[in-house]
Amino acid sequence: MRLRRGGPEDAPTLLALFDEAVAWLTARGSASQWGTEPWSGIPERVALVERIAGEELWLAEIDGAVAGALAVSETPISYTPPVDERELYVHLLLVSRGHGGRNVGGRLLDHARGLARERGISLVRVDCWAGGDEELVRYYEGQGFTPSQRVRVRDTEAQVFEERVLPRPAHGG
């Protein structure tokens, strides 16, 4: 697995990942998370994906194919209550269903932790849809994140998580 920095040119790839995720979620009966329509056909969703691609985007590739995406920022998502310290917020973690079971999400989250350490940030936060069978909630708990609060997002809820990481020590001279 190789991680590379993404950019606006990767918006079509990200959109394909979202379309794949929507189809998979719909097939599992979890359409409440992102709806049943492919994002590529919804102008507002296309614009959102283009904005995400312009953020700090990282892509995981396996054998030349994009297996997952991570977008991070030091600014939380608008519906998330702010904190009184610097943080690295995971805006997006998305894994291709064709690469399940290969720890793509775990590697991307480890990368986010490493980015936080490099920047001297000790708080990493992420949120996920808290509906359905709460499988996503259990996933983030299994990745070492602690649930901190639930927030209302339109007609559903999101679970916010946090994890403390130790910044890299400064090199002595």
Side-chain angles (χ1 to χ4, degrees):
M1 189 178 314
R2 174 177 94 84
L3 297 184
R4 72 169 173 85
R5 184 74 188 259
E9 68 280 1
D10 292 301
T13 300
L14 254 182
L15 209 48
L17 284 174
F18 273 104
D19 284 353
E20 179 186 342
V22 166
W24 181 76
L25 289 165
T26 299
R28 293 189 64 218
S30 295
S32 297
Q33 182 174 353
W34 287 339
T36 59
E37 299 300 317
W39 280 33
S40 57
I42 304 170
E44 300 82 22
R45 299 280 171 101
V46 171
L48 173 63
V49 170
E50 289 171 346
R51 192 195 75 206
I52 292 169
E55 293 179 0
E56 184 173 350
L57 176 67
W58 295 89
L59 299 173
E61 296 179 332
I62 297 176
D63 298 327
V66 173
L70 169 79
V72 297
S73 173
E74 290 190 37
T75 305
I77 292 178
S78 62
Y79 56 77
T80 306
V83 293
D84 60 357
E85 64 183 290
R86 274 181 78 202
E87 69 176 309
L88 190 68
Y89 204 96
V90 175
H91 281 223
L92 171 71
L93 178 67
L94 193 56
V95 175
S96 169
R97 300 315 318 155
H99 295 283
R102 298 179 83 173
N103 196 32
V104 174
R107 289 278 307 275
L108 287 166
L109 289 171
D110 283 345
H111 186 67
R113 292 176 186 105
L115 291 170
R117 285 184 190 101
E118 288 172 10
R119 297 172 190 182
I121 297 172
S122 62
L123 178 63
V124 178
R125 289 199 305 164
V126 64
D127 69 86
C128 72
W129 180 55
D133 61 6
E134 294 199 6
E135 183 177 349
L136 284 171
V137 171
R138 289 189 300 279
Y139 173 78
Y140 285 108
E141 289 173 332
Q143 289 293 322
F145 286 85
T146 301
S148 60
Q149 59 206 120
R150 286 201 180 208
V151 293
R152 194 92 186 129
V153 182
R154 292 177 299 282
D155 59 348
T156 189
E157 281 190 327
Q159 176 65 60
V160 180
F161 297 88
E162 62 183 42
E163 182 176 351
R164 294 282 172 187
V165 296
L166 296 174
R168 287 203 175 120
H171 295 293

